[in-house]
């Protein structure tokens, strides 16, 4: 957009307005306040913020707790600023020596807003169409917690997260809400076993009866 008066910055105001008034009135103008550093013609704006405002800087203020177990559905809370929808959480990759980070699957984000992430700490096996086995298992390792965009780290926490142990879980896809333990049995104190069934089997009475029959046979 063009200025109808040919005024595009503070120098044009001084030259094309103030100087003209001086010639007419024979009096020198007095500057009460400095002129704003901006464009008056609607084009490029120098030394000014964008019309939408500057984005808030990405920052991690704290992580809590700082000691967890992976794959046991423990949640980690990350607080900070500038958490936009295109960002996610990454954990240290424990499979390699270098400090690399793995973004978590979408189904491990319990809650998010511009100042907080609440996530499950993963040790999850996914059925992905890949020939690389490392792409199928995502394990959180001890280290910093990262804010990531795509595969790039944007910010790391000052605190270190300690992973005491990991227990595999399973999910159909990285967006499926169904995540369940791979460990299906547990030793009870009295010497018996406790069994976990896949969620799709728990409400199927004929299958449950067959399971009980097989166990008692």
């Amino acid at each position: 957009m063009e200025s109808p008066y040919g005024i595009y910055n503070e120098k044009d105001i001084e030259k094309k307005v103030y100087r003209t008034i001086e010639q007419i009135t024979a009096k020198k103008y007095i500057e009460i306040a400095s002129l704003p550093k901006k464009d008056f013609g609607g084009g490029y704006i120098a030394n000014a913020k964008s019309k939408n405002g500057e984005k808030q800087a990405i920052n991690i203020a704290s992580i809590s707790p700082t000691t967890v177990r992976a794959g046991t559905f423990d949640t980690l809370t990350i607080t900070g600023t500038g958490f936009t929808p295109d960002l996610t959480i990454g954990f240290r990759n424990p499979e390699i020596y270098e400090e690399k980070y793995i973004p978590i699957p979408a189904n491990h984000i319990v809650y998010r807003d511009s100042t907080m992430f609440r996530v499950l700490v993963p040790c999850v096996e996914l059925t992905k169409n890949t020939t690389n086995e490392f792409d199928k298992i995502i394990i959180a390792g001890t280290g910093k917690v990262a804010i990531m965009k795509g595969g790039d780290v944007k910010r790391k926490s000052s605190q270190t997260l300690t992973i005491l142990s990991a227990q595999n879980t399973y999910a159909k896809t990285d967006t499926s809400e169904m995540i369940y333990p791979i460990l299906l049995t547990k030793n009870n104190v009295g010497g018996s076993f406790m069994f976990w069934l896949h969620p799709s089997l728990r409400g199927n009475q004929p299958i449950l009866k067959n399971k009980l029959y097989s166990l008692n046979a």
Side-chain angles (χ1 to χ4, degrees):
M1 183 173 71
E2 294 293 328
S3 167
Y5 304 105
I7 297 172
Y8 297 97
N9 55 50
E10 70 277 6
K11 290 184 179 179
D12 286 338
I13 290 178
E14 181 179 349
K15 179 180 177 182
K16 298 180 180 180
V17 178
Y18 290 179
R19 297 304 177 194
T20 302
I21 294 173
E22 280 184 350
Q23 292 174 6
I24 296 172
T25 63
K27 293 182 179 180
K28 185 172 179 59
Y29 77 90
I30 299 174
E31 187 175 287
I32 306 240
S34 59
L35 292 167
K37 306 293 184 182
K38 67 177 182 179
D39 183 333
F40 290 89
Y44 172 73
I45 300 177
N47 300 324
K49 292 182 180 180
S50 68
K51 292 180 181 179
N52 294 328
E54 293 181 348
K55 288 185 177 179
Q56 194 169 20
I58 301 168
N59 180 58
I60 298 177
S62 68
I63 60 173
S64 179
T66 55
T67 301
V68 295
R69 291 176 172 82
T72 55
F73 301 93
D74 288 349
T75 58
L76 180 72
T77 299
I78 302 100
T79 61
T81 56
F83 297 165
T84 53
D86 56 343
L87 300 175
T88 189
I89 299 299
F91 289 94
R92 174 79 183 269
N93 185 348
E95 302 294 333
I96 56 178
Y97 178 77
E98 293 84 0
E99 189 177 4
K100 300 291 185 181
Y101 290 82
I102 310 171
I104 63 173
N107 54 16
H108 280 58
I109 300 176
V110 177
Y111 174 82
R112 66 179 301 160
D113 60 27
S114 62
T115 61
M116 178 186 294
F117 274 99
R118 188 173 292 118
V119 301
L120 300 176
V121 181
C123 180
V124 60
E125 182 175 341
L126 303 171
T127 54
K128 291 184 176 180
N129 295 324
T130 177
T131 57
N132 187 348
E133 289 300 318
F134 288 108
D135 289 341
K136 294 183 179 181
I137 302 176
I138 299 173
I139 305 173
T142 294
K144 307 293 186 181
V145 177
I147 298 291
M148 303 184 70
K149 182 177 181 180
D152 298 326
V153 173
K154 296 300 180 182
R155 185 70 64 185
K156 290 186 287 188
S157 63
S158 59
Q159 298 166 284
T160 297
L161 179 69
T162 300
I163 306 295
L164 293 176
S165 61
Q167 178 177 303
N168 265 21
T169 56
Y170 176 81
K172 270 190 170 183
T173 67
D174 62 354
T175 56
S176 169
E177 293 183 0
M178 297 177 71
I179 308 168
Y180 53 92
I182 291 179
L183 180 63
L184 299 179
T185 63
K186 177 182 177 182
N187 290 329
N188 287 333
V189 177
S192 60
F193 289 97
M194 180 184 295
F195 288 86
W196 285 274
L197 296 177
H198 188 281
S200 64
L201 303 180
R202 293 173 188 167
N204 191 320
Q205 292 302 318
I207 290 180
L208 289 176
K209 288 181 180 179
N210 285 337
K211 286 286 184 184
L212 289 173
Y213 178 81
S214 299
L215 291 171
N216 291 325

